[in-house]
Amino acid sequence: MAESLEHLELLSKGTFNDVIRGQPQHHLSSSSPRLPRLKILKIEEQALDETFEETWMFLLNHRYGTELDELIITGRGDEIEASLDNMMGACRIQSIKHLRLAKIRNLDDAPADLIISRFKRLRILDLEQTRITGVTVKRAVQRLPELKVLKIDGCREVSPDAVVWARSKGIEVTHLLKSLLHGGRF
């Protein structure tokens, strides 16, 4: 069953263990299923645990699987932040088209620049509620020739000028500030 999965959402702790490993605490091995048809992978913060990096590298470094089209990681977990470098080298995401790295508290212009440099085929880049600035907006628009949508809701360091500039280049930009996202005022 797991070998045929094309869309996997890990929403709570133990999800990966239940679906792939078959039982909690069972370690990955060469005989564990690697989801060769996986196209969309969504990982919520609640699904992160001490095995996150092992799981991550296991799924995404399998050379015989299809390339992912969409990768969604949401959360402020330190596990994500510590794994960004390893993630960018994973062989199954080199041609990714939709990348969401939202609510990652330490994601600023430096790691965003690495992401932009690495994933040239992105059409949708979602960095909502991160610490990026207009520098990342400009780099994304200039360096990602296939970019159509840039989601930067809650990115307080991005100026309105950067948003207007990106839109003038034909990019669909969403940029609501956090206070508006939560019904507050300026």
Side-chain angles (χ1 to χ4, degrees):
M1 179 177 105
E3 296 287 333
S4 65
L5 281 176
E6 292 183 12
H7 184 140
L8 178 60
E9 294 187 22
L10 304 175
L11 304 175
S12 62
K13 284 202 187 292
T15 306
F16 183 76
N17 288 330
D18 295 342
V19 172
I20 305 303
R21 297 180 186 192
Q23 59 183 333
Q25 310 307 320
H26 180 251
H27 293 286
L28 298 170
S29 70
S30 60
S31 64
S32 298
R34 293 189 184 246
L35 309 178
R37 294 186 178 147
L38 190 65
K39 299 300 274 177
I40 299 171
L41 177 59
K42 179 178 182 179
I43 303 172
E44 294 286 341
E45 178 181 3
Q46 299 86 340
L48 300 175
D49 61 17
E50 64 282 350
T51 65
F52 173 72
E53 189 160 357
E54 177 190 11
T55 300
W56 176 260
M57 298 314 294
F58 179 80
L59 284 176
L60 299 182
N61 270 330
H62 181 46
R63 297 187 191 285
Y64 303 106
T66 58
E67 291 261 340
L68 287 183
D69 286 331
E70 188 172 333
L71 177 61
I72 300 169
I73 300 178
T74 305
R76 57 173 177 56
D78 294 332
E79 293 88 351
I80 295 171
E81 295 159 20
S83 298
L84 271 177
D85 286 338
N86 287 335
M87 174 193 79
M88 289 189 287
C91 61
R92 288 184 70 182
I93 61 171
Q94 297 308 305
S95 297
I96 199 159
K97 294 170 185 69
H98 179 173
L99 179 62
R100 176 180 166 95
L101 296 173
K103 300 178 185 175
I104 301 175
R105 66 177 172 253
N106 290 332
L107 198 154
D108 58 18
D109 290 332
D113 188 44
L114 292 173
I115 291 164
I116 291 165
S117 297
R118 185 66 134 176
F119 304 120
K120 297 290 187 189
R121 300 192 66 195
L122 285 174
R123 292 183 186 150
I124 300 171
L125 178 58
D126 184 342
L127 299 173
E128 292 180 12
Q129 296 184 41
T130 61
R131 296 180 58 216
I132 65 159
T133 70
V135 170
T136 292
V137 172
K138 184 174 182 180
R139 286 177 182 159
V141 171
Q142 291 178 331
R143 296 183 189 169
L144 298 173
E146 297 181 34
L147 187 67
K148 302 288 182 225
V149 177
L150 181 61
K151 296 182 179 185
I152 52 175
D153 291 329
C155 295
R156 291 184 253 164
E157 302 299 321
V158 175
S159 71
D161 290 343
V163 173
V164 169
W165 179 82
R167 287 178 179 153
S168 77
K169 302 297 182 188
I171 306 299
E172 179 184 325
V173 181
T174 61
H175 182 238
L176 295 173
L177 295 177
K178 189 174 181 179
S179 60
L180 292 176
L181 291 174
H182 297 292
R185 294 182 179 178
F186 286 112

